[in-house]
Amino acid sequence: MITIIILLILATISIQSLTNTGLFAKANEAKEKTENKQKEESKILENYLAQMNSITFSNVDKTNTNPEGAMPKKAVVIEGDANKGIVIKDSNENEWTWIEVPMSVTAGKTSDNEIEEALKTYASDYREGKTGQNLNWTDEWYEGCGMSESDYNTTKGKMLQSIKTNGGFWISRYEIGDNTATTNNTTRTSDSGITGVAVSKANQIPYNWVTCSQAQTLAKGMSADSSKISSLPFGIQWDLTCKFLETKTELTKDDIKTNSTNWGNYKNNSLTLSRGKYIINPWKSSSIWKNFNEDTENYVKNSQTTNDVNYKQLLTTGASEETKKMNIYDLSGNVWKWTLEHATSNTSTPCSDRGGSLYSNGSDIPGAYRDNNGTTVRNDDISFFSALY
């Protein structure tokens, strides 16, 4: 009992001491300041989001396209001018660019087959791949594409009907990046598998070393809105993207289907980097990622036409403004992009990838180029875009 009494006396003295020195008051004051700061930051964020949501679309021909109707829930517009390339950011902070496909193209068409044929006719200049390739591959299911036959056909049908209804679709603004590799500043390897989250953001290490099936799995998980589908682009969507760039930019058909050297990251082109990182000879385990301002001599000097390995440099997403067309980066070069096309004439290599890579010449492998690979193929220069509809 004596011990308890002594402890109570000491506790009383301690409380009085704390009160007299004003520690309780100071603690309450600090708490109040923290809460006020949090309220202030929350208000700033709300104002910022309100400003982004207040951005309206401009230069949009509403009789032919409806990007607003195709927007996923909680997405915000970060570029609303159709002449520059409409860009939105979804609730996962992935960025998507609108590909306009005029509603007049599919007017009067109702069935999936009718819509598909109309779209093929509209984008016919790019159905063969590169000029002279004559590779009119089909959007049909095959074993190893990453979906069951039923899912493939259902997804394709929704894609076609969405294009007709909305006059377009969304494509990732950037080559898809691997957030884990970017955070760790590491180069993916042949046995990396699916280890990170796929994102459409700037300054990301491309999500390479994935098979077509793995890429489809990653693309499918990117939609932040359960009412929207994300997937690898179907072949017709790649063709429509090429057609969109032809109609909306200074690029000619030849720039897209014959020689894309001047707007892609190829071994025979030089680019000025404005952000991000690059890695020389990415297949080497000893190669390291460098910030663009540390050693850009190889990129800012005159174009090279040799096979010098120093001109084979993989870039992070959106590293050069010279590769941007209508707010889409790197449609040609940097890494190959998987699509859901079926190379029907190549039974052992049925998967399709398009657009060339850092190891290609832009005159040999332009943006519209079609290549085919096996279902188990993955490499340091193969990644993907994602479509949203």
Side-chain angles (χ1 to χ4, degrees):
M1 290 180 63
I2 293 173
T3 302
I4 293 172
I5 292 170
I6 292 172
L7 290 174
L8 289 172
I9 293 171
L10 290 174
T12 302
I13 293 172
S14 297
I15 293 171
Q16 289 177 343
S17 176
L18 289 172
T19 305
N20 291 337
T21 57
L23 289 179
F24 284 157
K26 290 179 180 179
N28 287 330
E29 182 180 351
K31 179 183 177 183
E32 185 177 350
K33 287 182 178 180
T34 299
E35 291 176 346
N36 289 338
K37 186 67 176 177
Q38 290 174 341
K39 290 179 181 178
E40 182 181 348
E41 291 176 351
S42 178
K43 187 175 181 180
I44 292 173
L45 178 60
E46 288 176 0
N47 289 336
Y48 172 69
L49 291 175
Q51 290 175 13
M52 292 184 71
N53 279 312
S54 68
I55 298 176
T56 56
F57 295 115
S58 61
N59 298 311
V60 175
D61 180 3
K62 295 184 178 181
T63 63
N64 257 325
T65 189
N66 183 28
E68 186 173 2
M71 282 182 63
K73 298 174 183 176
K74 299 182 180 179
V76 295
V77 181
I78 58 178
E79 174 55 70
D81 189 345
N83 289 336
K84 296 179 181 178
I86 293 172
V87 181
I88 61 171
K89 180 183 291 188
D90 67 21
S91 57
N92 288 337
E93 297 189 346
N94 291 313
E95 296 183 20
W96 306 87
T97 302
W98 183 245
I99 305 300
E100 179 182 331
V101 183
M103 293 178 183
S104 57
V105 172
T106 56
K109 314 300 181 184
T110 55
S111 71
D112 292 349
N113 287 337
E114 289 176 329
I115 295 170
E116 183 175 16
E117 290 305 312
L119 295 178
K120 284 182 179 179
T121 300
Y122 175 65
S124 60
D125 287 326
Y126 304 101
R127 292 297 298 153
E128 65 173 342
K130 179 187 176 182
T131 299
Q133 261 197 296
N134 298 318
L135 294 176
N136 190 10
W137 293 349
T138 59
D139 286 324
E140 65 179 17
W141 180 83
Y142 62 93
E143 189 73 43
C145 67
M147 289 189 282
S148 68
E149 185 172 7
S150 176
D151 285 344
Y152 185 101
N153 292 331
T154 299
T155 300
K156 178 184 173 183
K158 289 182 178 179
M159 177 271 296
L160 293 170
Q161 293 294 336
S162 178
I163 290 177
K164 173 181 171 57
T165 299
N166 298 302
F169 60 93
W170 302 100
I171 195 167
S172 55
R173 189 181 189 186
Y174 306 98
E175 295 166 330
I176 300 305
D178 179 351
N179 72 332
T180 301
T182 302
T183 300
N184 298 329
N185 199 35
T186 56
T187 304
R188 289 177 55 79
T189 62
S190 59
D191 58 355
S192 295
I194 299 179
T195 58
V197 176
V199 296
S200 173
K201 300 178 183 179
N203 305 322
Q204 304 291 306
I205 293 175
Y207 211 132
N208 52 7
W209 288 113
V210 289
T211 65
C212 181
S213 177
Q214 290 172 331
Q216 168 56 23
T217 298
L218 289 162
K220 182 179 179 180
M222 290 185 66
S223 177
D225 179 354
S226 60
S227 68
K228 303 295 182 185
I229 294 174
S230 56
S231 73
L232 290 180
F234 286 86
I236 188 61
Q237 287 179 295
W238 190 276
D239 300 333
L240 291 169
T241 301
C242 291
K243 183 68 175 180
F244 174 70
L245 294 183
E246 175 207 326
T247 58
K248 295 293 183 178
T249 72
E250 78 286 356
L251 295 176
T252 65
K253 291 179 185 178
D254 283 344
D255 291 327
I256 301 170
K257 61 183 295 186
T258 303
N259 188 350
S260 299
T261 300
N262 292 331
W263 61 287
N265 177 30
Y266 295 104
K267 67 179 182 181
N268 64 322
N269 187 23
S270 64
L271 295 169
T272 300
L273 308 189
S274 54
R275 60 182 174 182
K277 300 176 182 178
Y278 68 98
I279 187 171
I280 301 173
N281 304 332
W283 68 90
K284 291 185 177 181
S285 59
S286 58
S287 297
I288 60 173
W289 285 95
K290 297 181 179 180
N291 291 327
F292 79 96
N293 58 348
E294 288 181 356
D295 176 19
T296 57
E297 182 183 0
N298 287 324
Y299 251 86
V300 298
K301 65 170 62 170
N302 293 331
S303 300
Q304 300 296 304
T305 56
T306 68
N307 285 324
D308 187 335
V309 294
N310 287 331
Y311 293 88
K312 298 176 182 178
Q313 304 179 61
L314 179 65
L315 307 180
T316 51
T317 56
S320 175
E321 293 296 298
E322 295 170 28
T323 71
K324 181 178 74 172
K325 299 298 178 182
M326 291 300 289
N327 267 319
I328 306 169
Y329 288 85
D330 295 303
L331 190 80
S332 62
N334 205 44
V335 289
W336 287 93
K337 273 71 70 170
W338 289 117
T339 65
L340 289 172
E341 294 170 275
H342 181 199
T344 54
S345 60
N346 300 279
T347 55
S348 61
T349 54
C351 304
S352 175
D353 49 325
R354 303 188 69 171
S357 78
L358 67 152
Y359 303 132
S360 311
N361 283 309
S363 55
D364 296 331
I365 315 291
Y369 192 92
R370 276 184 170 86
D371 190 25
N372 56 289
N373 268 304
T375 57
T376 61
V377 169
R378 51 186 179 183
N379 214 326
D380 63 305
D381 67 332
I382 302 180
S383 183
F384 59 103
F385 274 140
S386 182
L388 180 70
Y389 40 90

